[in-house]
Amino acid sequence: MRDLDARAQGLMRNIDSLADEYLHNVKNMSFDKRKDHLEKIQCLFNKAKEYGDDKVQLAIQTYELVDKHIRRLDSDLARFEAEIQDKALSNNRNQDDQTSSKTIFLYFLNIIIIIINNNNRFQPVVN
């Protein structure tokens, strides 16, 4: 981009100097010389326009490349967020399952303790 810009600026400086030269000497130039001089200036303008068009194309390509990467990063971010949510939900389910298992275990442990205590009360005393 810088190279194209430097070339275009160089051409514009050449065009300026040729235009100044033309304006100062137009009265003393023959028709053919004026025509040649103007054609040379026109050719340089066309070349400068090509450089400008190349700069625009390069800018468009750069924009499209950056846009493509941004879309890919957005997609990756959405996927990672979904994975994090899935892991969080999975962890919550595992914790709920563990809590449920622990609760059931404690419930049955209490029942066993009650049964053991009741059996101890009703056992006859043997002397």
Side-chain angles (χ1 to χ4, degrees):
M1 183 67 87
R2 288 182 189 175
D3 184 46
L4 288 172
D5 195 40
R7 288 181 192 178
Q9 288 178 1
L11 281 176
M12 294 308 290
R13 283 191 295 272
N14 288 343
I15 291 169
D16 284 343
S17 66
L18 286 174
D20 286 342
E21 180 184 324
Y22 177 80
L23 291 174
H24 288 303
N25 300 323
V26 71
K27 292 180 184 176
N28 300 333
M29 290 182 182
S30 67
F31 176 77
D32 289 337
K33 187 141 180 139
R34 281 186 283 177
K35 184 178 174 187
D36 288 343
H37 208 83
L38 288 175
E39 285 176 355
K40 188 174 183 179
I41 291 172
Q42 183 64 43
C43 181
L44 290 176
F45 266 122
N46 289 338
K47 192 67 172 172
K49 183 184 176 300
E50 287 177 23
Y51 288 152
D53 291 344
D54 290 346
K55 284 172 50 178
V56 169
Q57 285 299 333
L58 185 58
I60 289 170
Q61 290 171 356
T62 302
Y63 174 82
E64 289 173 351
L65 182 67
V66 169
D67 187 55
K68 177 183 170 185
H69 285 290
I70 288 172
R71 280 187 268 120
R72 191 175 74 205
L73 288 171
D74 284 343
S75 173
D76 290 346
L77 179 62
R79 190 178 73 242
F80 291 144
E81 286 176 344
E83 287 177 11
I84 289 171
Q85 279 185 333
D86 287 347
K87 284 181 182 179
L89 289 174
S90 176
N91 285 341
N92 284 343
R93 278 191 223 119
N94 287 341
Q95 286 177 349
D96 289 346
D97 290 347
Q98 288 174 354
T99 302
S100 296
S101 297
K102 192 182 277 187
T103 303
I104 292 170
F105 174 76
L106 290 175
Y107 176 75
F108 282 112
L109 183 62
N110 282 331
I111 290 174
I112 291 170
I113 291 171
I114 290 171
I115 291 171
I116 290 173
N117 284 338
N118 285 337
N119 281 342
N120 286 340
R121 279 192 222 155
F122 296 114
Q123 278 186 344
V125 180
V126 177
N127 285 334

Short mmCIF file of all heavy atoms in Angstrom, two decimals, residues 50-101:
data_model
loop_
_atom_site.label_atom_id
_atom_site.label_comp_id
_atom_site.label_asym_id
_atom_site.label_seq_id
_atom_site.Cartn_x
_atom_site.Cartn_y
_atom_site.Cartn_z
N GLU A 50 -4.51 4.18 -12.22
CA GLU A 50 -4.31 2.73 -12.05
C GLU A 50 -3.76 2.43 -10.65
O GLU A 50 -4.21 1.48 -9.99
CB GLU A 50 -3.35 2.19 -13.10
CG GLU A 50 -3.92 2.08 -14.48
CD GLU A 50 -2.89 1.60 -15.50
OE1 GLU A 50 -1.89 0.94 -15.09
OE2 GLU A 50 -3.08 1.89 -16.69
N TYR A 51 -2.80 3.22 -10.21
CA TYR A 51 -2.26 3.03 -8.86
C TYR A 51 -3.36 3.23 -7.81
O TYR A 51 -3.44 2.49 -6.83
CB TYR A 51 -1.09 3.97 -8.58
CG TYR A 51 0.19 3.62 -9.32
CD1 TYR A 51 1.10 4.62 -9.65
CD2 TYR A 51 0.50 2.33 -9.67
CE1 TYR A 51 2.28 4.32 -10.32
CE2 TYR A 51 1.67 2.01 -10.33
CZ TYR A 51 2.56 3.01 -10.66
OH TYR A 51 3.73 2.71 -11.32
N GLY A 52 -4.18 4.25 -8.02
CA GLY A 52 -5.29 4.49 -7.09
C GLY A 52 -6.27 3.32 -7.09
O GLY A 52 -6.74 2.90 -6.02
N ASP A 53 -6.57 2.79 -8.28
CA ASP A 53 -7.46 1.63 -8.36
C ASP A 53 -6.85 0.42 -7.66
O ASP A 53 -7.54 -0.33 -6.97
CB ASP A 53 -7.77 1.28 -9.82
CG ASP A 53 -8.63 2.33 -10.52
OD1 ASP A 53 -9.25 3.16 -9.82
OD2 ASP A 53 -8.67 2.32 -11.77
N ASP A 54 -5.54 0.24 -7.83
CA ASP A 54 -4.85 -0.86 -7.15
C ASP A 54 -4.92 -0.70 -5.64
O ASP A 54 -5.11 -1.69 -4.90
CB ASP A 54 -3.39 -0.95 -7.59
CG ASP A 54 -3.23 -1.43 -9.03
OD1 ASP A 54 -4.21 -1.94 -9.61
OD2 ASP A 54 -2.11 -1.27 -9.58
N LYS A 55 -4.77 0.54 -5.17
CA LYS A 55 -4.87 0.80 -3.72
C LYS A 55 -6.26 0.46 -3.22
O LYS A 55 -6.41 -0.14 -2.14
CB LYS A 55 -4.54 2.26 -3.42
CG LYS A 55 -3.06 2.58 -3.48
CD LYS A 55 -2.75 4.05 -3.37
CE LYS A 55 -3.39 4.77 -2.25
NZ LYS A 55 -3.02 6.20 -2.17
N VAL A 56 -7.30 0.83 -3.98
CA VAL A 56 -8.67 0.51 -3.58
C VAL A 56 -8.87 -1.00 -3.53
O VAL A 56 -9.45 -1.53 -2.57
CB VAL A 56 -9.69 1.18 -4.54
CG1 VAL A 56 -11.10 0.64 -4.31
CG2 VAL A 56 -9.67 2.69 -4.38
N GLN A 57 -8.39 -1.72 -4.54
CA GLN A 57 -8.52 -3.18 -4.55
C GLN A 57 -7.79 -3.81 -3.36
O GLN A 57 -8.31 -4.74 -2.73
CB GLN A 57 -7.97 -3.76 -5.87
CG GLN A 57 -8.87 -3.56 -7.04
CD GLN A 57 -10.22 -4.25 -6.85
OE1 GLN A 57 -10.36 -5.23 -6.13
NE2 GLN A 57 -11.23 -3.69 -7.48
N LEU A 58 -6.61 -3.31 -3.08
CA LEU A 58 -5.86 -3.82 -1.94
C LEU A 58 -6.60 -3.55 -0.63
O LEU A 58 -6.65 -4.43 0.25
CB LEU A 58 -4.46 -3.19 -1.90
CG LEU A 58 -3.50 -3.70 -0.84
CD1 LEU A 58 -3.27 -5.20 -0.97
CD2 LEU A 58 -2.17 -2.97 -0.95
N ALA A 59 -7.19 -2.38 -0.51
CA ALA A 59 -7.96 -2.05 0.70
C ALA A 59 -9.17 -2.97 0.83
O ALA A 59 -9.48 -3.45 1.92
CB ALA A 59 -8.40 -0.59 0.66
N ILE A 60 -9.85 -3.25 -0.28
CA ILE A 60 -11.02 -4.14 -0.26
C ILE A 60 -10.59 -5.55 0.15
O ILE A 60 -11.24 -6.19 0.99
CB ILE A 60 -11.73 -4.16 -1.63
CG1 ILE A 60 -12.44 -2.82 -1.87
CG2 ILE A 60 -12.72 -5.31 -1.75
CD1 ILE A 60 -12.97 -2.63 -3.29
N GLN A 61 -9.50 -6.04 -0.44
CA GLN A 61 -9.01 -7.38 -0.09
C GLN A 61 -8.62 -7.45 1.38
O GLN A 61 -8.91 -8.45 2.07
CB GLN A 61 -7.81 -7.75 -0.96
CG GLN A 61 -8.16 -8.01 -2.40
CD GLN A 61 -6.93 -8.16 -3.28
OE1 GLN A 61 -5.80 -8.00 -2.82
NE2 GLN A 61 -7.15 -8.47 -4.55
N THR A 62 -7.97 -6.40 1.87
CA THR A 62 -7.58 -6.38 3.28
C THR A 62 -8.81 -6.39 4.17
O THR A 62 -8.87 -7.13 5.17
CB THR A 62 -6.72 -5.13 3.57
OG1 THR A 62 -5.58 -5.15 2.72
CG2 THR A 62 -6.27 -5.09 5.02
N TYR A 63 -9.81 -5.58 3.82
CA TYR A 63 -11.05 -5.54 4.59
C TYR A 63 -11.71 -6.92 4.62
O TYR A 63 -12.14 -7.40 5.68
CB TYR A 63 -12.02 -4.51 4.01
CG TYR A 63 -13.37 -4.54 4.67
CD1 TYR A 63 -13.59 -3.88 5.86
CD2 TYR A 63 -14.42 -5.26 4.11
CE1 TYR A 63 -14.82 -3.92 6.49
CE2 TYR A 63 -15.65 -5.32 4.73
CZ TYR A 63 -15.85 -4.65 5.91
OH TYR A 63 -17.07 -4.71 6.52
N GLU A 64 -11.79 -7.58 3.45
CA GLU A 64 -12.42 -8.89 3.38
C GLU A 64 -11.66 -9.92 4.20
O GLU A 64 -12.26 -10.76 4.88
CB GLU A 64 -12.53 -9.35 1.92
CG GLU A 64 -13.57 -8.57 1.14
CD GLU A 64 -13.57 -8.89 -0.35
OE1 GLU A 64 -12.65 -9.59 -0.82
OE2 GLU A 64 -14.51 -8.43 -1.04
N LEU A 65 -10.34 -9.84 4.18
CA LEU A 65 -9.52 -10.76 4.96
C LEU A 65 -9.76 -10.55 6.46
O LEU A 65 -9.97 -11.51 7.22
CB LEU A 65 -8.04 -10.57 4.63
CG LEU A 65 -7.06 -11.47 5.34
CD1 LEU A 65 -7.25 -12.92 4.89
CD2 LEU A 65 -5.64 -11.03 5.05
N VAL A 66 -9.76 -9.29 6.88
CA VAL A 66 -9.99 -8.98 8.30
C VAL A 66 -11.41 -9.40 8.70
O VAL A 66 -11.62 -10.00 9.76
CB VAL A 66 -9.75 -7.48 8.58
CG1 VAL A 66 -10.25 -7.08 9.96
CG2 VAL A 66 -8.28 -7.14 8.44
N ASP A 67 -12.39 -9.13 7.83
CA ASP A 67 -13.77 -9.50 8.11
C ASP A 67 -13.91 -11.01 8.25
O ASP A 67 -14.60 -11.50 9.15
CB ASP A 67 -14.68 -8.97 7.00
CG ASP A 67 -16.15 -9.17 7.31
OD1 ASP A 67 -16.60 -8.71 8.38
OD2 ASP A 67 -16.85 -9.79 6.47
N LYS A 68 -13.23 -11.75 7.39
CA LYS A 68 -13.26 -13.22 7.45
C LYS A 68 -12.71 -13.70 8.80
O LYS A 68 -13.29 -14.58 9.44
CB LYS A 68 -12.44 -13.79 6.30
CG LYS A 68 -12.31 -15.29 6.29
CD LYS A 68 -11.41 -15.73 5.15
CE LYS A 68 -11.07 -17.19 5.25
NZ LYS A 68 -10.11 -17.60 4.21
N HIS A 69 -11.59 -13.11 9.23
CA HIS A 69 -11.00 -13.51 10.52
C HIS A 69 -11.92 -13.13 11.68
O HIS A 69 -12.05 -13.90 12.64
CB HIS A 69 -9.62 -12.88 10.70
CG HIS A 69 -8.57 -13.55 9.88
ND1 HIS A 69 -8.10 -14.81 10.13
CD2 HIS A 69 -7.90 -13.12 8.78
CE1 HIS A 69 -7.19 -15.15 9.24
NE2 HIS A 69 -7.04 -14.13 8.40
N ILE A 70 -12.56 -11.98 11.59
CA ILE A 70 -13.48 -11.56 12.66
C ILE A 70 -14.65 -12.53 12.75
O ILE A 70 -15.04 -12.95 13.85
CB ILE A 70 -13.97 -10.11 12.44
CG1 ILE A 70 -12.82 -9.13 12.72
CG2 ILE A 70 -15.17 -9.79 13.32
CD1 ILE A 70 -13.14 -7.70 12.34
N ARG A 71 -15.20 -12.91 11.59
CA ARG A 71 -16.32 -13.87 11.60
C ARG A 71 -15.87 -15.21 12.18
O ARG A 71 -16.61 -15.84 12.95
CB ARG A 71 -16.88 -14.06 10.19
CG ARG A 71 -17.82 -12.92 9.79
CD ARG A 71 -18.52 -13.18 8.45
NE ARG A 71 -17.70 -12.57 7.40
CZ ARG A 71 -17.15 -13.22 6.40
NH1 ARG A 71 -17.34 -14.51 6.25
NH2 ARG A 71 -16.42 -12.60 5.51
N ARG A 72 -14.67 -15.66 11.85
CA ARG A 72 -14.17 -16.91 12.39
C ARG A 72 -13.97 -16.81 13.91
O ARG A 72 -14.32 -17.72 14.66
CB ARG A 72 -12.86 -17.31 11.72
CG ARG A 72 -12.48 -18.75 12.07
CD ARG A 72 -11.26 -19.23 11.35
NE ARG A 72 -10.10 -18.58 11.95
CZ ARG A 72 -8.96 -18.37 11.34
NH1 ARG A 72 -8.79 -18.73 10.11
NH2 ARG A 72 -7.96 -17.79 11.97
N LEU A 73 -13.43 -15.67 14.36
CA LEU A 73 -13.25 -15.48 15.81
C LEU A 73 -14.59 -15.43 16.52
O LEU A 73 -14.73 -15.99 17.62
CB LEU A 73 -12.45 -14.20 16.07
CG LEU A 73 -10.97 -14.26 15.71
CD1 LEU A 73 -10.36 -12.86 15.81
CD2 LEU A 73 -10.22 -15.23 16.59
N ASP A 74 -15.58 -14.76 15.92
CA ASP A 74 -16.93 -14.73 16.50
C ASP A 74 -17.50 -16.14 16.62
O ASP A 74 -18.10 -16.50 17.63
CB ASP A 74 -17.86 -13.85 15.67
CG ASP A 74 -17.62 -12.37 15.87
OD1 ASP A 74 -16.95 -11.99 16.86
OD2 ASP A 74 -18.09 -11.57 15.03
N SER A 75 -17.30 -16.93 15.56
CA SER A 75 -17.78 -18.31 15.57
C SER A 75 -17.09 -19.12 16.66
O SER A 75 -17.73 -19.86 17.41
CB SER A 75 -17.55 -18.94 14.20
OG SER A 75 -17.85 -20.30 14.21
N ASP A 76 -15.77 -18.98 16.76
CA ASP A 76 -15.01 -19.68 17.80
C ASP A 76 -15.46 -19.26 19.19
O ASP A 76 -15.63 -20.10 20.08
CB ASP A 76 -13.51 -19.42 17.65
CG ASP A 76 -12.91 -20.10 16.43
OD1 ASP A 76 -13.57 -20.98 15.84
OD2 ASP A 76 -11.77 -19.73 16.06
N LEU A 77 -15.68 -17.96 19.36
CA LEU A 77 -16.13 -17.46 20.65
C LEU A 77 -17.49 -18.04 21.02
O LEU A 77 -17.70 -18.49 22.16
CB LEU A 77 -16.19 -15.93 20.64
CG LEU A 77 -16.67 -15.26 21.93
CD1 LEU A 77 -15.72 -15.58 23.08
CD2 LEU A 77 -16.76 -13.75 21.72
N ALA A 78 -18.42 -18.09 20.06
CA ALA A 78 -19.74 -18.65 20.32
C ALA A 78 -19.63 -20.13 20.69
O ALA A 78 -20.30 -20.61 21.61
CB ALA A 78 -20.64 -18.47 19.11
N ARG A 79 -18.76 -20.85 19.98
CA ARG A 79 -18.57 -22.27 20.27
C ARG A 79 -17.98 -22.46 21.67
O ARG A 79 -18.44 -23.31 22.44
CB ARG A 79 -17.66 -22.91 19.22
CG ARG A 79 -17.62 -24.42 19.33
CD ARG A 79 -16.77 -25.08 18.26
NE ARG A 79 -15.35 -24.85 18.55
CZ ARG A 79 -14.51 -24.19 17.78
NH1 ARG A 79 -14.92 -23.67 16.65
NH2 ARG A 79 -13.24 -24.04 18.12
N PHE A 80 -16.98 -21.64 22.02
CA PHE A 80 -16.38 -21.75 23.35
C PHE A 80 -17.38 -21.40 24.45
O PHE A 80 -17.42 -22.05 25.50
CB PHE A 80 -15.14 -20.87 23.46
CG PHE A 80 -13.98 -21.34 22.64
CD1 PHE A 80 -13.13 -20.42 22.03
CD2 PHE A 80 -13.72 -22.69 22.46
CE1 PHE A 80 -12.06 -20.85 21.26
CE2 PHE A 80 -12.65 -23.13 21.70
CZ PHE A 80 -11.82 -22.20 21.10
N GLU A 81 -18.20 -20.39 24.21
CA GLU A 81 -19.23 -20.04 25.20
C GLU A 81 -20.21 -21.19 25.39
O GLU A 81 -20.60 -21.50 26.52
CB GLU A 81 -19.96 -18.77 24.78
CG GLU A 81 -19.16 -17.51 24.96
CD GLU A 81 -19.87 -16.27 24.44
OE1 GLU A 81 -20.85 -16.40 23.67
OE2 GLU A 81 -19.43 -15.16 24.80
N ALA A 82 -20.59 -21.83 24.28
CA ALA A 82 -21.50 -22.98 24.37
C ALA A 82 -20.85 -24.12 25.14
O ALA A 82 -21.51 -24.77 25.96
CB ALA A 82 -21.91 -23.43 22.97
N GLU A 83 -19.57 -24.37 24.89
CA GLU A 83 -18.86 -25.42 25.62
C GLU A 83 -18.80 -25.11 27.11
O GLU A 83 -19.00 -26.00 27.94
CB GLU A 83 -17.44 -25.59 25.07
CG GLU A 83 -17.37 -26.25 23.73
CD GLU A 83 -15.95 -26.34 23.18
OE1 GLU A 83 -14.99 -26.06 23.94
OE2 GLU A 83 -15.80 -26.67 21.99
N ILE A 84 -18.55 -23.86 27.44
CA ILE A 84 -18.49 -23.47 28.86
C ILE A 84 -19.84 -23.66 29.51
O ILE A 84 -19.94 -24.18 30.63
CB ILE A 84 -17.99 -22.01 29.00
CG1 ILE A 84 -16.50 -21.94 28.65
CG2 ILE A 84 -18.24 -21.48 30.40
CD1 ILE A 84 -15.96 -20.52 28.54
N GLN A 85 -20.92 -23.27 28.79
CA GLN A 85 -22.27 -23.47 29.35
C GLN A 85 -22.56 -24.95 29.53
O GLN A 85 -23.12 -25.36 30.56
CB GLN A 85 -23.32 -22.84 28.43
CG GLN A 85 -23.47 -21.36 28.60
CD GLN A 85 -24.61 -20.82 27.75
OE1 GLN A 85 -24.95 -21.38 26.72
NE2 GLN A 85 -25.18 -19.72 28.19
N ASP A 86 -22.20 -25.78 28.54
CA ASP A 86 -22.42 -27.22 28.65
C ASP A 86 -21.67 -27.79 29.85
O ASP A 86 -22.21 -28.61 30.60
CB ASP A 86 -21.98 -27.93 27.38
CG ASP A 86 -22.93 -27.70 26.22
OD1 ASP A 86 -24.05 -27.19 26.46
OD2 ASP A 86 -22.55 -28.02 25.06
N LYS A 87 -20.42 -27.37 30.03
CA LYS A 87 -19.64 -27.86 31.16
C LYS A 87 -20.26 -27.41 32.48
O LYS A 87 -20.31 -28.19 33.44
CB LYS A 87 -18.20 -27.38 31.07
CG LYS A 87 -17.38 -28.12 30.04
CD LYS A 87 -15.95 -27.64 30.00
CE LYS A 87 -15.17 -28.39 28.92
NZ LYS A 87 -13.79 -27.93 28.83
N ALA A 88 -20.72 -26.17 32.52
CA ALA A 88 -21.34 -25.67 33.75
C ALA A 88 -22.61 -26.46 34.06
O ALA A 88 -22.85 -26.86 35.21
CB ALA A 88 -21.65 -24.18 33.62
N LEU A 89 -23.43 -26.71 33.03
CA LEU A 89 -24.65 -27.49 33.24
C LEU A 89 -24.32 -28.92 33.66
O LEU A 89 -24.96 -29.49 34.55
CB LEU A 89 -25.50 -27.51 31.97
CG LEU A 89 -26.18 -26.19 31.60
CD1 LEU A 89 -26.87 -26.31 30.24
CD2 LEU A 89 -27.18 -25.79 32.66
N SER A 90 -23.30 -29.49 33.04
CA SER A 90 -22.88 -30.85 33.38
C SER A 90 -22.39 -30.91 34.82
O SER A 90 -22.73 -31.83 35.56
CB SER A 90 -21.78 -31.30 32.42
OG SER A 90 -21.30 -32.56 32.78
N ASN A 91 -21.61 -29.91 35.24
CA ASN A 91 -21.12 -29.87 36.62
C ASN A 91 -22.28 -29.72 37.59
O ASN A 91 -22.29 -30.36 38.65
CB ASN A 91 -20.13 -28.72 36.80
CG ASN A 91 -18.78 -29.02 36.19
OD1 ASN A 91 -18.46 -30.17 35.93
ND2 ASN A 91 -18.00 -27.99 35.95
N ASN A 92 -23.27 -28.89 37.23
CA ASN A 92 -24.44 -28.73 38.11
C ASN A 92 -25.21 -30.04 38.23
O ASN A 92 -25.63 -30.42 39.31
CB ASN A 92 -25.37 -27.63 37.58
CG ASN A 92 -24.81 -26.25 37.86
OD1 ASN A 92 -23.93 -26.09 38.69
ND2 ASN A 92 -25.34 -25.25 37.17
N ARG A 93 -25.36 -30.75 37.09
CA ARG A 93 -26.07 -32.04 37.12
C ARG A 93 -25.29 -33.03 37.98
O ARG A 93 -25.88 -33.76 38.78
CB ARG A 93 -26.24 -32.58 35.70
CG ARG A 93 -27.41 -31.99 34.99
CD ARG A 93 -27.69 -32.76 33.69
NE ARG A 93 -27.97 -31.77 32.68
CZ ARG A 93 -27.28 -31.57 31.57
NH1 ARG A 93 -26.26 -32.33 31.29
NH2 ARG A 93 -27.61 -30.63 30.72
N ASN A 94 -23.97 -33.06 37.82
CA ASN A 94 -23.15 -33.98 38.61
C ASN A 94 -23.25 -33.66 40.09
O ASN A 94 -23.35 -34.56 40.93
CB ASN A 94 -21.69 -33.94 38.17
CG ASN A 94 -21.48 -34.62 36.83
OD1 ASN A 94 -22.30 -35.40 36.40
ND2 ASN A 94 -20.36 -34.30 36.17
N GLN A 95 -23.24 -32.37 40.41
CA GLN A 95 -23.38 -31.97 41.81
C GLN A 95 -24.76 -32.35 42.34
O GLN A 95 -24.89 -32.82 43.46
CB GLN A 95 -23.13 -30.47 41.97
CG GLN A 95 -21.68 -30.09 41.84
CD GLN A 95 -21.47 -28.58 41.93
OE1 GLN A 95 -22.42 -27.81 41.89
NE2 GLN A 95 -20.21 -28.18 42.05
N ASP A 96 -25.79 -32.12 41.50
CA ASP A 96 -27.14 -32.50 41.91
C ASP A 96 -27.23 -34.01 42.11
O ASP A 96 -27.83 -34.48 43.09
CB ASP A 96 -28.18 -32.06 40.87
CG ASP A 96 -28.38 -30.55 40.83
OD1 ASP A 96 -27.91 -29.87 41.79
OD2 ASP A 96 -28.98 -30.05 39.86
N ASP A 97 -26.63 -34.77 41.18
CA ASP A 97 -26.63 -36.23 41.31
C ASP A 97 -25.89 -36.65 42.56
O ASP A 97 -26.34 -37.54 43.30
CB ASP A 97 -26.00 -36.89 40.09
CG ASP A 97 -26.85 -36.76 38.83
OD1 ASP A 97 -28.04 -36.37 38.97
OD2 ASP A 97 -26.33 -37.03 37.73
N GLN A 98 -24.77 -36.03 42.84
CA GLN A 98 -23.99 -36.36 44.04
C GLN A 98 -24.78 -36.00 45.29
O GLN A 98 -24.80 -36.74 46.27
CB GLN A 98 -22.64 -35.64 44.02
CG GLN A 98 -21.67 -36.20 43.01
CD GLN A 98 -20.39 -35.36 42.93
OE1 GLN A 98 -20.29 -34.32 43.55
NE2 GLN A 98 -19.44 -35.84 42.14
N THR A 99 -25.43 -34.84 45.25
CA THR A 99 -26.23 -34.41 46.40
C THR A 99 -27.39 -35.38 46.61
O THR A 99 -27.68 -35.78 47.74
CB THR A 99 -26.76 -32.98 46.17
OG1 THR A 99 -25.66 -32.11 45.97
CG2 THR A 99 -27.57 -32.49 47.36
N SER A 100 -28.04 -35.78 45.51
CA SER A 100 -29.14 -36.74 45.62
C SER A 100 -28.64 -38.07 46.17
O SER A 100 -29.27 -38.66 47.05
CB SER A 100 -29.80 -36.96 44.25
OG SER A 100 -30.38 -35.78 43.80
N SER A 101 -27.53 -38.54 45.67
CA SER A 101 -26.96 -39.80 46.16
C SER A 101 -26.60 -39.69 47.63
O SER A 101 -26.85 -40.62 48.41
CB SER A 101 -25.72 -40.17 45.35
OG SER A 101 -26.03 -40.38 44.00
#
